[in-house]
Amino acid sequence: MRQLGLGLTMAAAGLAMALQTARADEELPIGVIAAQSGSFVSAGNTIVGAANLAAQQINDAGGIKVGDKTYKIKLYIRDNRTDVNVSIAAARELVNDIGVKAIWGTETHDFSVSMAKITGPAKVLQFSGNSSLGAVLDDKAVADDGWLHYTFQSEPQEWQRSGSTAKGVLSLLTSQLKSPPKHSVVFVGNDATGQYLSSHYVKALEAEGQKVDLVQYPPDTTDFSPLLTRIKGMKPDIVHFWYNGDSTLTAFPQALKLGVAPSYFLFGVDPGIYQERSLKADVPVTLSCVPVCWGSSPFPEVKQYFEKYFGLGAAKGPQSSVSLLYYDYFFWYAKALEKVGKIDDPDAVVAELLKSDYKGVVSPVPLVFNKHHQVTFATEVCMVEPNTSDQFKCAVEQPPAAPPPGDNGG
Amino acid sequence: MPMTDNSAAKTGAATEGARARDRLALLTADNASVPLPAGVQAVTAILLAALLIALPWLGLGYRFLSIAITTLYTAIGLYGLGLQFGQAGIMSVGHAALMGVGAYASAILSVQLGLGFWTSLPFAMALSAIVGGVIGLPTLRVGGQHYIIITFCFCALFVIVLTNGGTFTGSATGLDVGSVTPLPGINFDKLSNNYYLVLAALFLALAATYLIGISRYGRTLRAIRENEQLARSVGINVDLHKLGVLMVSGLFAGLAGVLQLYYLRHISPTLFGAFPSLYLALMVMLGGARYLYGPLIGAVIVNFLPEVLNLDPVDSRIAYGVCLLLVILLLPGGVAAGIKNIYCALAGGFDRQGGGLNGRA
């Protein structure tokens, strides 16, 4: 009898342990679609890096407590090979074959928009760090029955980023130039992102009193000297190498050689890259990151983040800071799930995300989604001391409260 | 009764004409030297159709089905290219732009006039056909590599126009459309239904290609391909037929473009640039432009190879390059010719010409 009791007790204990294990094994499937190969790989890899770090941290901290269950994030990472057809196929697979609850990605507007047409009807949340989504995120699109109801733009609206960046660049350069800069030339790649971004940045500079000329170059340009020579003839005070950072790293040395302008701004070139490549100019140069710099950040949380991010094996590149457009939202999403108490109620999660805030790494100010599912935070701008590669002075100017004149905000 | 000089000359001319026609017949018959038996053709067609129809039921997953849809609409575009290159000998490296004409025509009609898939489709196809003919005008004066360069320039210009087209073309950001308008009881938002829609279009393309191939029109095109001067000398209106086949090719491209648009539901100029065009040319050469199933085989290889072998884009391009070299060196008629040759070898014959024709393989 005693043996039977002992046996029953052990069986009960075993069952309890098994149940405990089963409860601990609950998985929250989350998809990541990013370019791990192809021409967008430098941006795509940062999404994967951020997702891996966030998932590891959440799981190591015990997972996500939803109702009486605890969920561990299980990432399903898919390489879109910088191909829209593969992105679509991956989104179909993640949504329909695997049944993920949310998708992070991807790095380009076109791919994100096409993916949203799959995630939306399936009520799968999508976090995309494309500021150009602002062109399609409107009242109708994000309404309860809208096709972007479950899509969130994890990068600020472009007029906000442009405004924050323009203020930062001008405040840093004005102190270095003999006279306040009045004439800017914006030099930008003529593709979807370049067109969209520059349309806002030009307005932001004009709002700061600049006379602005826009010069576009065809994507994949490698010899910029004819266009740079033309720009030199315009006698600008500042040449702004706007999107994209990879092309800028090719064009900037050519501009220095030609002596195009008395000062420069390089968008999306991290101070860490500037230092690594031993770039040096005899004129003041400003740099901005998307959104904060890994090479020279004044914020301790950001420094800690990048230590962990690179610690997981992520490569240091011009676009490493893009990872911060994706990282915080894992924690915010987890917080929303915990609050809702269910993982199968995407409408409630959307509502919770819209009414909550989250203090993340990317911004000292808590993140909030506006009614069009877009966040707001500032962009860090740093200035390199002339004739140095590693002496930086950084500034973070908050975005303007409203779009500048002539900018419809979309 | 002795012949006069005049009648002798007439007889001589008639003989010359007959010789020319015989030579032309020989030239155009080369690929059909070992036609597959009708039974084999029928069995191949039935098996292929059954496989394609059954695909959504095989449980291969949505990812596979998505790539299958991409493959099918690409193949439809390739059938147009196959006709103009395989049958008439006019190569183009700007075919993606022709698909883009169809896709953008449909998207603009949707955005500006609210026309859906079914109503915009005929207009889009017609516009692609017209543009195909207009681009083909230079073929009346130049051919070969010169025309290839012209098509490449058209492709580049098309992308520039779209990128700078303002809100009308959506600029570089592109245009969005809704779903395919449902038919009674059929909702095309369901992926398998979307697949069957594209598959139906592919069957139409296959049937049209087959019928053109075995028709007098197809033989005329092949005569032009093999010897344009000779074809002209026997009274074939070469110019008209060249423009005609380019317009038919445009029809196929327009159909493929509209299907692509409504599958992605978002298009932008990069989809129709130089790289996609080169890939189309690669696919049709890999598969075999002169064979009924060649374009489909080419599309399958290029779309599924990176999936099956898990190749990244750089490795894929290397693999395609190697494949193309191997095909040029070993299988001038493409993979379809290789398959046919294997069959013929096994069945006791061997087609060394490597160019089975019009539904014969």
Side-chain angles (χ1 to χ4, degrees), chain A residues 319-347:
Chain A
Q319 305 202 48
S320 295
S321 61
V322 170
S323 65
L324 271 174
L325 297 180
Y326 293 89
Y327 173 77
D328 288 325
Y329 304 92
F330 278 88
F331 297 90
W332 197 354
Y333 175 64
K335 189 180 142 189
L337 283 178
E338 288 182 345
K339 182 85 176 170
V340 168
K342 285 185 277 187
I343 64 163
D344 289 323
D345 192 351
D347 291 301

PDB file of all heavy atoms in Angstrom, chain A residues 319-347:
ATOM      1  N   GLN A 319      24.849  50.387 -42.195  1.00  0.00           N
ATOM      2  CA  GLN A 319      23.433  50.378 -41.837  1.00  0.00           C
ATOM      3  C   GLN A 319      23.137  49.587 -40.565  1.00  0.00           C
ATOM      4  O   GLN A 319      21.987  49.224 -40.320  1.00  0.00           O
ATOM      5  CB  GLN A 319      22.628  49.814 -42.997  1.00  0.00           C
ATOM      6  CG  GLN A 319      22.890  50.573 -44.281  1.00  0.00           C
ATOM      7  CD  GLN A 319      21.786  50.417 -45.298  1.00  0.00           C
ATOM      8  OE1 GLN A 319      20.628  50.555 -44.985  1.00  0.00           O
ATOM      9  NE2 GLN A 319      22.169  50.129 -46.519  1.00  0.00           N
ATOM     10  N   SER A 320      24.167  49.331 -39.759  1.00  0.00           N
ATOM     11  CA  SER A 320      23.929  48.549 -38.534  1.00  0.00           C
ATOM     12  C   SER A 320      22.875  49.185 -37.646  1.00  0.00           C
ATOM     13  O   SER A 320      22.106  48.487 -36.983  1.00  0.00           O
ATOM     14  CB  SER A 320      25.230  48.409 -37.746  1.00  0.00           C
ATOM     15  OG  SER A 320      26.151  47.659 -38.477  1.00  0.00           O
ATOM     16  N   SER A 321      22.846  50.515 -37.639  1.00  0.00           N
ATOM     17  CA  SER A 321      21.893  51.173 -36.741  1.00  0.00           C
ATOM     18  C   SER A 321      20.450  50.994 -37.201  1.00  0.00           C
ATOM     19  O   SER A 321      19.520  51.229 -36.426  1.00  0.00           O
ATOM     20  CB  SER A 321      22.226  52.659 -36.597  1.00  0.00           C
ATOM     21  OG  SER A 321      22.159  53.298 -37.845  1.00  0.00           O
ATOM     22  N   VAL A 322      20.265  50.549 -38.460  1.00  0.00           N
ATOM     23  CA  VAL A 322      18.902  50.268 -38.940  1.00  0.00           C
ATOM     24  C   VAL A 322      18.240  49.202 -38.053  1.00  0.00           C
ATOM     25  O   VAL A 322      17.023  49.148 -37.919  1.00  0.00           O
ATOM     26  CB  VAL A 322      18.944  49.806 -40.421  1.00  0.00           C
ATOM     27  CG1 VAL A 322      17.594  49.282 -40.887  1.00  0.00           C
ATOM     28  CG2 VAL A 322      19.378  50.958 -41.312  1.00  0.00           C
ATOM     29  N   SER A 323      19.070  48.381 -37.413  1.00  0.00           N
ATOM     30  CA  SER A 323      18.525  47.331 -36.543  1.00  0.00           C
ATOM     31  C   SER A 323      17.616  47.924 -35.464  1.00  0.00           C
ATOM     32  O   SER A 323      16.677  47.273 -35.013  1.00  0.00           O
ATOM     33  CB  SER A 323      19.659  46.536 -35.893  1.00  0.00           C
ATOM     34  OG  SER A 323      20.406  47.356 -35.027  1.00  0.00           O
ATOM     35  N   LEU A 324      17.910  49.168 -35.083  1.00  0.00           N
ATOM     36  CA  LEU A 324      17.100  49.789 -34.029  1.00  0.00           C
ATOM     37  C   LEU A 324      15.710  50.208 -34.519  1.00  0.00           C
ATOM     38  O   LEU A 324      14.880  50.616 -33.718  1.00  0.00           O
ATOM     39  CB  LEU A 324      17.830  50.997 -33.445  1.00  0.00           C
ATOM     40  CG  LEU A 324      18.752  50.635 -32.276  1.00  0.00           C
ATOM     41  CD1 LEU A 324      19.557  51.825 -31.815  1.00  0.00           C
ATOM     42  CD2 LEU A 324      17.957  50.058 -31.109  1.00  0.00           C
ATOM     43  N   LEU A 325      15.485  50.101 -35.802  1.00  0.00           N
ATOM     44  CA  LEU A 325      14.127  50.347 -36.302  1.00  0.00           C
ATOM     45  C   LEU A 325      13.236  49.136 -36.056  1.00  0.00           C
ATOM     46  O   LEU A 325      12.037  49.170 -36.306  1.00  0.00           O
ATOM     47  CB  LEU A 325      14.141  50.645 -37.805  1.00  0.00           C
ATOM     48  CG  LEU A 325      14.892  51.890 -38.248  1.00  0.00           C
ATOM     49  CD1 LEU A 325      14.807  52.043 -39.754  1.00  0.00           C
ATOM     50  CD2 LEU A 325      14.339  53.128 -37.570  1.00  0.00           C
ATOM     51  N   TYR A 326      13.829  48.043 -35.588  1.00  0.00           N
ATOM     52  CA  TYR A 326      13.070  46.796 -35.420  1.00  0.00           C
ATOM     53  C   TYR A 326      13.109  46.240 -33.997  1.00  0.00           C
ATOM     54  O   TYR A 326      12.204  45.528 -33.582  1.00  0.00           O
ATOM     55  CB  TYR A 326      13.597  45.734 -36.401  1.00  0.00           C
ATOM     56  CG  TYR A 326      13.313  46.116 -37.832  1.00  0.00           C
ATOM     57  CD1 TYR A 326      14.219  46.883 -38.566  1.00  0.00           C
ATOM     58  CD2 TYR A 326      12.110  45.768 -38.440  1.00  0.00           C
ATOM     59  CE1 TYR A 326      13.936  47.270 -39.861  1.00  0.00           C
ATOM     60  CE2 TYR A 326      11.822  46.145 -39.737  1.00  0.00           C
ATOM     61  CZ  TYR A 326      12.743  46.902 -40.443  1.00  0.00           C
ATOM     62  OH  TYR A 326      12.450  47.289 -41.727  1.00  0.00           O
ATOM     63  N   TYR A 327      14.181  46.550 -33.274  1.00  0.00           N
ATOM     64  CA  TYR A 327      14.448  45.899 -31.984  1.00  0.00           C
ATOM     65  C   TYR A 327      13.367  46.169 -30.937  1.00  0.00           C
ATOM     66  O   TYR A 327      12.768  45.233 -30.383  1.00  0.00           O
ATOM     67  CB  TYR A 327      15.812  46.378 -31.505  1.00  0.00           C
ATOM     68  CG  TYR A 327      16.187  45.947 -30.111  1.00  0.00           C
ATOM     69  CD1 TYR A 327      16.617  44.640 -29.868  1.00  0.00           C
ATOM     70  CD2 TYR A 327      16.138  46.833 -29.049  1.00  0.00           C
ATOM     71  CE1 TYR A 327      16.987  44.243 -28.594  1.00  0.00           C
ATOM     72  CE2 TYR A 327      16.504  46.448 -27.780  1.00  0.00           C
ATOM     73  CZ  TYR A 327      16.930  45.153 -27.556  1.00  0.00           C
ATOM     74  OH  TYR A 327      17.288  44.773 -26.291  1.00  0.00           O
ATOM     75  N   ASP A 328      13.091  47.435 -30.666  1.00  0.00           N
ATOM     76  CA  ASP A 328      12.187  47.787 -29.560  1.00  0.00           C
ATOM     77  C   ASP A 328      10.798  47.205 -29.714  1.00  0.00           C
ATOM     78  O   ASP A 328      10.100  46.937 -28.726  1.00  0.00           O
ATOM     79  CB  ASP A 328      12.060  49.312 -29.451  1.00  0.00           C
ATOM     80  CG  ASP A 328      13.328  49.942 -28.897  1.00  0.00           C
ATOM     81  OD1 ASP A 328      13.971  49.299 -28.040  1.00  0.00           O
ATOM     82  OD2 ASP A 328      13.669  51.063 -29.325  1.00  0.00           O
ATOM     83  N   TYR A 329      10.375  47.002 -30.953  1.00  0.00           N
ATOM     84  CA  TYR A 329       8.982  46.612 -31.205  1.00  0.00           C
ATOM     85  C   TYR A 329       8.681  45.180 -30.770  1.00  0.00           C
ATOM     86  O   TYR A 329       7.524  44.826 -30.559  1.00  0.00           O
ATOM     87  CB  TYR A 329       8.640  46.858 -32.681  1.00  0.00           C
ATOM     88  CG  TYR A 329       8.917  48.308 -33.032  1.00  0.00           C
ATOM     89  CD1 TYR A 329      10.152  48.689 -33.552  1.00  0.00           C
ATOM     90  CD2 TYR A 329       7.995  49.290 -32.736  1.00  0.00           C
ATOM     91  CE1 TYR A 329      10.446  50.017 -33.796  1.00  0.00           C
ATOM     92  CE2 TYR A 329       8.272  50.625 -32.987  1.00  0.00           C
ATOM     93  CZ  TYR A 329       9.511  50.983 -33.514  1.00  0.00           C
ATOM     94  OH  TYR A 329       9.802  52.298 -33.736  1.00  0.00           O
ATOM     95  N   PHE A 330       9.726  44.366 -30.634  1.00  0.00           N
ATOM     96  CA  PHE A 330       9.515  43.026 -30.077  1.00  0.00           C
ATOM     97  C   PHE A 330       9.023  43.145 -28.630  1.00  0.00           C
ATOM     98  O   PHE A 330       8.101  42.448 -28.217  1.00  0.00           O
ATOM     99  CB  PHE A 330      10.827  42.226 -30.115  1.00  0.00           C
ATOM    100  CG  PHE A 330      11.104  41.599 -31.451  1.00  0.00           C
ATOM    101  CD1 PHE A 330      11.778  42.309 -32.425  1.00  0.00           C
ATOM    102  CD2 PHE A 330      10.686  40.309 -31.731  1.00  0.00           C
ATOM    103  CE1 PHE A 330      12.025  41.745 -33.658  1.00  0.00           C
ATOM    104  CE2 PHE A 330      10.928  39.737 -32.955  1.00  0.00           C
ATOM    105  CZ  PHE A 330      11.605  40.453 -33.933  1.00  0.00           C
ATOM    106  N   PHE A 331       9.672  44.028 -27.893  1.00  0.00           N
ATOM    107  CA  PHE A 331       9.321  44.189 -26.473  1.00  0.00           C
ATOM    108  C   PHE A 331       7.949  44.854 -26.341  1.00  0.00           C
ATOM    109  O   PHE A 331       7.171  44.508 -25.461  1.00  0.00           O
ATOM    110  CB  PHE A 331      10.402  45.026 -25.769  1.00  0.00           C
ATOM    111  CG  PHE A 331      11.737  44.357 -25.786  1.00  0.00           C
ATOM    112  CD1 PHE A 331      12.628  44.571 -26.832  1.00  0.00           C
ATOM    113  CD2 PHE A 331      12.115  43.470 -24.788  1.00  0.00           C
ATOM    114  CE1 PHE A 331      13.852  43.932 -26.867  1.00  0.00           C
ATOM    115  CE2 PHE A 331      13.343  42.826 -24.807  1.00  0.00           C
ATOM    116  CZ  PHE A 331      14.215  43.061 -25.859  1.00  0.00           C
ATOM    117  N   TRP A 332       7.715  45.796 -27.207  1.00  0.00           N
ATOM    118  CA  TRP A 332       6.422  46.507 -27.183  1.00  0.00           C
ATOM    119  C   TRP A 332       5.289  45.538 -27.526  1.00  0.00           C
ATOM    120  O   TRP A 332       4.232  45.509 -26.887  1.00  0.00           O
ATOM    121  CB  TRP A 332       6.473  47.672 -28.176  1.00  0.00           C
ATOM    122  CG  TRP A 332       5.415  48.711 -28.007  1.00  0.00           C
ATOM    123  CD1 TRP A 332       4.347  48.683 -27.157  1.00  0.00           C
ATOM    124  CD2 TRP A 332       5.345  49.947 -28.708  1.00  0.00           C
ATOM    125  NE1 TRP A 332       3.611  49.825 -27.292  1.00  0.00           N
ATOM    126  CE2 TRP A 332       4.196  50.619 -28.246  1.00  0.00           C
ATOM    127  CE3 TRP A 332       6.128  50.549 -29.691  1.00  0.00           C
ATOM    128  CZ2 TRP A 332       3.818  51.877 -28.732  1.00  0.00           C
ATOM    129  CZ3 TRP A 332       5.755  51.788 -30.176  1.00  0.00           C
ATOM    130  CH2 TRP A 332       4.619  52.447 -29.699  1.00  0.00           C
ATOM    131  N   TYR A 333       5.519  44.731 -28.533  1.00  0.00           N
ATOM    132  CA  TYR A 333       4.532  43.733 -28.950  1.00  0.00           C
ATOM    133  C   TYR A 333       4.283  42.736 -27.811  1.00  0.00           C
ATOM    134  O   TYR A 333       3.131  42.382 -27.511  1.00  0.00           O
ATOM    135  CB  TYR A 333       5.037  43.023 -30.207  1.00  0.00           C
ATOM    136  CG  TYR A 333       4.185  41.871 -30.695  1.00  0.00           C
ATOM    137  CD1 TYR A 333       2.880  42.083 -31.133  1.00  0.00           C
ATOM    138  CD2 TYR A 333       4.686  40.573 -30.722  1.00  0.00           C
ATOM    139  CE1 TYR A 333       2.102  41.028 -31.594  1.00  0.00           C
ATOM    140  CE2 TYR A 333       3.916  39.510 -31.174  1.00  0.00           C
ATOM    141  CZ  TYR A 333       2.631  39.742 -31.609  1.00  0.00           C
ATOM    142  OH  TYR A 333       1.856  38.692 -32.055  1.00  0.00           O
ATOM    143  N   ALA A 334       5.360  42.296 -27.165  1.00  0.00           N
ATOM    144  CA  ALA A 334       5.240  41.356 -26.038  1.00  0.00           C
ATOM    145  C   ALA A 334       4.425  41.988 -24.912  1.00  0.00           C
ATOM    146  O   ALA A 334       3.549  41.341 -24.314  1.00  0.00           O
ATOM    147  CB  ALA A 334       6.630  40.969 -25.548  1.00  0.00           C
ATOM    148  N   LYS A 335       4.716  43.265 -24.664  1.00  0.00           N
ATOM    149  CA  LYS A 335       3.985  43.978 -23.610  1.00  0.00           C
ATOM    150  C   LYS A 335       2.481  44.043 -23.953  1.00  0.00           C
ATOM    151  O   LYS A 335       1.621  43.824 -23.093  1.00  0.00           O
ATOM    152  CB  LYS A 335       4.568  45.402 -23.502  1.00  0.00           C
ATOM    153  CG  LYS A 335       4.082  46.210 -22.329  1.00  0.00           C
ATOM    154  CD  LYS A 335       4.761  47.592 -22.380  1.00  0.00           C
ATOM    155  CE  LYS A 335       3.782  48.659 -21.939  1.00  0.00           C
ATOM    156  NZ  LYS A 335       4.281  50.012 -22.162  1.00  0.00           N
ATOM    157  N   ALA A 336       2.198  44.294 -25.230  1.00  0.00           N
ATOM    158  CA  ALA A 336       0.792  44.382 -25.655  1.00  0.00           C
ATOM    159  C   ALA A 336       0.100  43.023 -25.521  1.00  0.00           C
ATOM    160  O   ALA A 336      -1.045  42.942 -25.090  1.00  0.00           O
ATOM    161  CB  ALA A 336       0.717  44.879 -27.099  1.00  0.00           C
ATOM    162  N   LEU A 337       0.810  41.954 -25.883  1.00  0.00           N
ATOM    163  CA  LEU A 337       0.223  40.610 -25.750  1.00  0.00           C
ATOM    164  C   LEU A 337      -0.099  40.310 -24.295  1.00  0.00           C
ATOM    165  O   LEU A 337      -1.169  39.752 -23.975  1.00  0.00           O
ATOM    166  CB  LEU A 337       1.203  39.555 -26.277  1.00  0.00           C
ATOM    167  CG  LEU A 337       1.343  39.400 -27.782  1.00  0.00           C
ATOM    168  CD1 LEU A 337       2.398  38.343 -28.106  1.00  0.00           C
ATOM    169  CD2 LEU A 337       0.027  39.017 -28.435  1.00  0.00           C
ATOM    170  N   GLU A 338       0.836  40.659 -23.411  1.00  0.00           N
ATOM    171  CA  GLU A 338       0.613  40.404 -21.979  1.00  0.00           C
ATOM    172  C   GLU A 338      -0.607  41.167 -21.487  1.00  0.00           C
ATOM    173  O   GLU A 338      -1.408  40.660 -20.710  1.00  0.00           O
ATOM    174  CB  GLU A 338       1.861  40.792 -21.184  1.00  0.00           C
ATOM    175  CG  GLU A 338       3.003  39.809 -21.398  1.00  0.00           C
ATOM    176  CD  GLU A 338       4.255  40.125 -20.598  1.00  0.00           C
ATOM    177  OE1 GLU A 338       4.355  41.265 -20.079  1.00  0.00           O
ATOM    178  OE2 GLU A 338       5.113  39.250 -20.514  1.00  0.00           O
ATOM    179  N   LYS A 339      -0.723  42.379 -21.954  1.00  0.00           N
ATOM    180  CA  LYS A 339      -1.842  43.221 -21.526  1.00  0.00           C
ATOM    181  C   LYS A 339      -3.173  42.674 -22.053  1.00  0.00           C
ATOM    182  O   LYS A 339      -4.163  42.609 -21.327  1.00  0.00           O
ATOM    183  CB  LYS A 339      -1.605  44.632 -22.072  1.00  0.00           C
ATOM    184  CG  LYS A 339      -2.649  45.641 -21.678  1.00  0.00           C
ATOM    185  CD  LYS A 339      -2.366  46.246 -20.324  1.00  0.00           C
ATOM    186  CE  LYS A 339      -3.379  47.328 -19.991  1.00  0.00           C
ATOM    187  NZ  LYS A 339      -3.275  47.762 -18.612  1.00  0.00           N
ATOM    188  N   VAL A 340      -3.174  42.245 -23.317  1.00  0.00           N
ATOM    189  CA  VAL A 340      -4.405  41.721 -23.924  1.00  0.00           C
ATOM    190  C   VAL A 340      -4.772  40.369 -23.312  1.00  0.00           C
ATOM    191  O   VAL A 340      -5.950  40.036 -23.150  1.00  0.00           O
ATOM    192  CB  VAL A 340      -4.223  41.602 -25.456  1.00  0.00           C
ATOM    193  CG1 VAL A 340      -5.345  40.806 -26.097  1.00  0.00           C
ATOM    194  CG2 VAL A 340      -4.156  42.988 -26.065  1.00  0.00           C
ATOM    195  N   GLY A 341      -3.739  39.596 -22.980  1.00  0.00           N
ATOM    196  CA  GLY A 341      -3.982  38.298 -22.334  1.00  0.00           C
ATOM    197  C   GLY A 341      -4.320  37.182 -23.298  1.00  0.00           C
ATOM    198  O   GLY A 341      -4.686  36.090 -22.891  1.00  0.00           O
ATOM    199  N   LYS A 342      -4.203  37.460 -24.588  1.00  0.00           N
ATOM    200  CA  LYS A 342      -4.460  36.419 -25.599  1.00  0.00           C
ATOM    201  C   LYS A 342      -3.484  36.628 -26.761  1.00  0.00           C
ATOM    202  O   LYS A 342      -3.156  37.772 -27.075  1.00  0.00           O
ATOM    203  CB  LYS A 342      -5.898  36.540 -26.138  1.00  0.00           C
ATOM    204  CG  LYS A 342      -6.968  36.054 -25.189  1.00  0.00           C
ATOM    205  CD  LYS A 342      -8.338  36.109 -25.852  1.00  0.00           C
ATOM    206  CE  LYS A 342      -8.897  37.511 -25.749  1.00  0.00           C
ATOM    207  NZ  LYS A 342     -10.285  37.638 -26.208  1.00  0.00           N
ATOM    208  N   ILE A 343      -3.065  35.530 -27.374  1.00  0.00           N
ATOM    209  CA  ILE A 343      -2.191  35.735 -28.541  1.00  0.00           C
ATOM    210  C   ILE A 343      -2.989  35.660 -29.843  1.00  0.00           C
ATOM    211  O   ILE A 343      -2.458  35.929 -30.912  1.00  0.00           O
ATOM    212  CB  ILE A 343      -1.014  34.733 -28.590  1.00  0.00           C
ATOM    213  CG1 ILE A 343      -1.531  33.308 -28.758  1.00  0.00           C
ATOM    214  CG2 ILE A 343      -0.114  34.865 -27.389  1.00  0.00           C
ATOM    215  CD1 ILE A 343      -0.440  32.356 -29.226  1.00  0.00           C
ATOM    216  N   ASP A 344      -4.259  35.250 -29.726  1.00  0.00           N
ATOM    217  CA  ASP A 344      -5.070  35.080 -30.941  1.00  0.00           C
ATOM    218  C   ASP A 344      -6.109  36.174 -31.124  1.00  0.00           C
ATOM    219  O   ASP A 344      -7.170  35.927 -31.686  1.00  0.00           O
ATOM    220  CB  ASP A 344      -5.762  33.707 -30.903  1.00  0.00           C
ATOM    221  CG  ASP A 344      -4.770  32.588 -31.114  1.00  0.00           C
ATOM    222  OD1 ASP A 344      -3.845  32.790 -31.920  1.00  0.00           O
ATOM    223  OD2 ASP A 344      -4.903  31.550 -30.461  1.00  0.00           O
ATOM    224  N   ASP A 345      -5.796  37.333 -30.640  1.00  0.00           N
ATOM    225  CA  ASP A 345      -6.732  38.441 -30.819  1.00  0.00           C
ATOM    226  C   ASP A 345      -5.980  39.648 -31.388  1.00  0.00           C
ATOM    227  O   ASP A 345      -5.685  40.618 -30.682  1.00  0.00           O
ATOM    228  CB  ASP A 345      -7.381  38.798 -29.476  1.00  0.00           C
ATOM    229  CG  ASP A 345      -8.562  39.747 -29.660  1.00  0.00           C
ATOM    230  OD1 ASP A 345      -8.745  40.246 -30.793  1.00  0.00           O
ATOM    231  OD2 ASP A 345      -9.283  39.987 -28.684  1.00  0.00           O
ATOM    232  N   PRO A 346      -5.638  39.577 -32.681  1.00  0.00           N
ATOM    233  CA  PRO A 346      -4.813  40.642 -33.273  1.00  0.00           C
ATOM    234  C   PRO A 346      -5.471  42.020 -33.211  1.00  0.00           C
ATOM    235  O   PRO A 346      -4.769  43.030 -33.077  1.00  0.00           O
ATOM    236  CB  PRO A 346      -4.621  40.188 -34.718  1.00  0.00           C
ATOM    237  CG  PRO A 346      -5.644  39.146 -34.959  1.00  0.00           C
ATOM    238  CD  PRO A 346      -5.960  38.527 -33.652  1.00  0.00           C
ATOM    239  N   ASP A 347      -6.801  42.051 -33.283  1.00  0.00           N
ATOM    240  CA  ASP A 347      -7.466  43.357 -33.212  1.00  0.00           C
ATOM    241  C   ASP A 347      -7.222  44.014 -31.854  1.00  0.00           C
ATOM    242  O   ASP A 347      -6.976  45.218 -31.774  1.00  0.00           O
ATOM    243  CB  ASP A 347      -8.965  43.201 -33.466  1.00  0.00           C
ATOM    244  CG  ASP A 347      -9.254  42.823 -34.912  1.00  0.00           C
ATOM    245  OD1 ASP A 347      -8.866  43.586 -35.798  1.00  0.00           O
ATOM    246  OD2 ASP A 347      -9.813  41.746 -35.132  1.00  0.00           O
TER     247      ASP A 347
END
